[in-house]
Amino acid sequence: MTFATPAPDDIPLYVIEQDQFPHWCDGQSENNAAWCKTMGFTGALGQAVAVPDTAGGISMAVIGYGSAQTRARGRFHVAGAAAKLPMGTYQFAGGLPANAMATEALGWLLEGYRFDRYRTATPMAARLAYAQQDAKTLMAIAAGENLTRDLINTPASDLGPAELEAAARALADAQGAAINVITGDALLDQNFPMIHAVGRASVSEPRLIDMKWGTRGPKITLVGKGVCFDTGGLNLKPGASMGLMKKDMGGAATTLGLAQMIMALGLDIQLRVLIPAVENSVSANAFRPQDILMSRKGLTVEINNTDAEGRLVLADALSYAQEDDPDFIISLATLTGAARVAVGPDLAPYFTDDAPFAAALEQAATEYCDPVWRMPFHTPYEAMIEPGIADLDNAPKGGFAGAITAALFLRRFAATQNYAHFDIYGWQPSDAPGRPKGGTGQASRALLAVIKDHLAQ
């Protein structure tokens, strides 16, 4: 969805805080003020009223913006109300604070998303005319988020490793990026043993997708977990836990969406995207509990749970990323249930040892309504991922600090101070303004701002 071009006949849209509604009414015609009151409009958060004109059309519309206290419990408030407006093109006419306009405009775009691959979906009736200087950036963000949502929402029957590769190739072709893919037994020949081990049981061969774009600026590498479906392997998940595993490639989807934003905006960076794309399946050649795998880095890993496979494929990809000596590495993955227990589905927990990066990210997360929460690379827990029989344990016993031990496992392979890991959920459990139920990107908007304004400097 894109912004409409402003035109003289656009419908004026007023965004009114609840305590300002009486004052706003004083400046309106008696009929318009009476209509709003008759319709029960008070300025409460989420209310929307279209005011008729004498010809049977719409003379204006008003949206309730509540109070600072009610707004603090959510985000993209205008978007939620805009979905209630009748068909037409609207233009902000007053009431909305200047520092909130870009955020609410972005929310409007995100609210317009529909996943229509398998059924006809009615488009959002209300369009927004928006011609501010940041319109191009907001549309690029929305397009990247919609790519992420489409990929996560597509079931594994139509999006396995091969189809994820096709999506990456389509993006590379559209943006003029170079792409190389290592597939099947070639992974063993080129020393990606853990990617191969996790994906070899599937009928869709495992692969490593490697996309490069840009020739100047700092080298930024994004690594996304692309487990297109996760049965748990031989440590088979129960049915209830397997129900959402089409989203286990949410890290890869978010990485591709972020890459699209970066390339569409032409940022001055050298971007690399690495996606280990696999399906964790069950067959005679599936990797087993107590197997010991050799990694690309040369560290051995004891497998104590085949359902802790995401960190294995990421480990080989992170080792490969580090060999190119990038300025910064960022990994995104739907990695641990422990992260969900800690912060729930709405926050994206992240780990980094780079304090300036963390400070920039926190500021960007607030600005772009893209909440994150910093968690520690707690070095004393390193012993928990050292099983004794091998260098590393992929699933430490005891159940404590699961998100932290997974992040510490990955840090062994990134082997750089300039690294951040995001343990995202990638799923919106229920409809919310700007965020329909289903696949969703997390941390990508905040990361775009950090890459543009901090890392690219």
Side-chain angles (χ1 to χ4, degrees), residues 393-440:
D393 183 340
N394 84 317
K397 294 179 176 60
F400 290 128
I404 297 174
T405 55
L408 290 171
F409 183 98
L410 296 179
R411 189 175 67 169
R412 292 286 188 99
F413 296 90
T416 175
Q417 179 81 8
N418 301 328
Y419 170 57
H421 163 61
F422 291 77
D423 192 339
I424 64 175
Y425 189 51
W427 191 262
Q428 177 65 28
S430 58
D431 287 332
R435 295 168 291 145
K437 180 180 178 179
T440 190

Side-chain angles (χ1 to χ4, degrees), residues 54-405:
T54 57
I58 303 173
S59 66
M60 68 168 69
V62 291
I63 281 177
Y65 210 48
S67 65
Q69 183 177 7
T70 57
R71 291 195 300 274
R73 299 185 66 175
R75 54 191 184 272
F76 301 135
H77 306 293
V78 169
K84 304 172 186 177
L85 292 174
M87 182 180 297
T89 300
Y90 297 81
Q91 187 171 166
F92 292 133
L96 185 65
N99 61 359
M101 187 174 293
T103 298
E104 298 297 355
L106 174 61
W108 194 304
L109 290 179
L110 297 177
E111 179 70 25
Y113 172 81
R114 301 290 185 272
F115 183 60
D116 57 5
R117 178 166 179 170
Y118 301 100
R119 68 173 186 176
T120 301
T122 304
M124 183 172 164
R127 297 195 68 196
L128 179 66
Y130 185 82
Q132 300 298 316
Q133 187 175 3
D134 56 5
K136 178 183 175 181
T137 298
L138 299 183
M139 287 191 290
I141 290 172
E145 293 247 358
N146 288 350
L147 171 61
T148 294
R149 291 171 173 183
D150 280 346
L151 291 172
I152 297 175
N153 285 330
T154 303
S157 55
D158 289 323
L159 201 141
E163 290 79 14
L164 186 56
E165 175 189 335
R169 288 189 180 277
L171 177 59
D173 289 345
Q175 299 293 342
I179 191 166
N180 179 61
V181 180
I182 305 168
T183 305
D185 289 343
L187 290 165
L188 291 176
D189 298 336
Q190 298 188 43
N191 193 24
F192 297 97
M194 293 205 296
I195 297 175
H196 183 272
V198 172
R200 70 193 182 202
S202 174
V203 296
S204 184
E205 291 184 301
R207 62 206 66 209
L208 178 65
I209 301 165
D210 186 355
M211 182 166 60
K212 295 181 179 179
W213 175 88
T215 58
R216 63 183 185 182
K219 295 163 69 173
I220 309 297
T221 298
L222 309 177
V223 182
K225 175 187 169 185
V227 179
C228 295
F229 195 83
D230 181 18
T231 66
L234 292 177
N235 290 116
L236 194 68
K237 292 178 182 287
S241 299
M242 209 184 298
L244 271 182
M245 283 301 100
K246 71 174 184 179
K247 79 170 185 67
D248 212 22
M249 38 64 69
T254 302
T255 296
L256 289 175
L258 174 56
Q260 176 169 309
M261 298 175 199
I262 290 168
M263 294 187 288
L265 294 173
L267 300 189
D268 284 333
I269 67 169
Q270 298 178 69
L271 175 67
R272 188 182 195 188
V273 175
L274 292 171
I275 295 174
V278 302
E279 184 175 357
N280 188 19
S281 298
V282 177
S283 74
N285 67 336
F287 73 120
R288 299 165 292 262
Q290 271 67 64
D291 280 356
I292 294 180
L293 304 182
M294 178 64 73
S295 68
R296 179 179 183 85
K297 191 178 181 68
L299 296 173
T300 55
V301 180
E302 182 180 13
I303 305 304
N304 281 307
N305 192 324
T306 62
D307 195 20
E309 84 298 330
R311 67 201 69 184
L312 302 176
V313 299
L314 287 171
D316 274 354
L318 286 168
S319 295
Y320 191 40
Q322 190 269 336
E323 292 165 16
D324 191 43
D325 194 26
D327 293 288
F328 211 91
I329 300 174
I330 299 166
S331 60
L332 296 107
T334 52
L335 201 63
T336 69
R340 308 289 74 75
V341 172
V343 300
D346 198 37
L347 285 166
Y350 73 100
F351 302 78
T352 188
D353 289 322
D354 189 315
F357 172 88
L361 184 74
E362 298 287 345
Q363 180 178 344
T366 299
E367 181 179 351
Y368 284 91
C369 292
D370 198 9
V372 299
W373 194 267
R374 189 178 183 184
M375 295 182 71
F377 274 132
H378 189 54
T379 301
Y381 288 168
E382 289 274 3
M384 296 170 65
I385 60 172
E386 296 169 350
I389 191 172
D391 294 314
L392 294 169
D393 183 340
N394 84 317
K397 294 179 176 60
F400 290 128
I404 297 174
T405 55

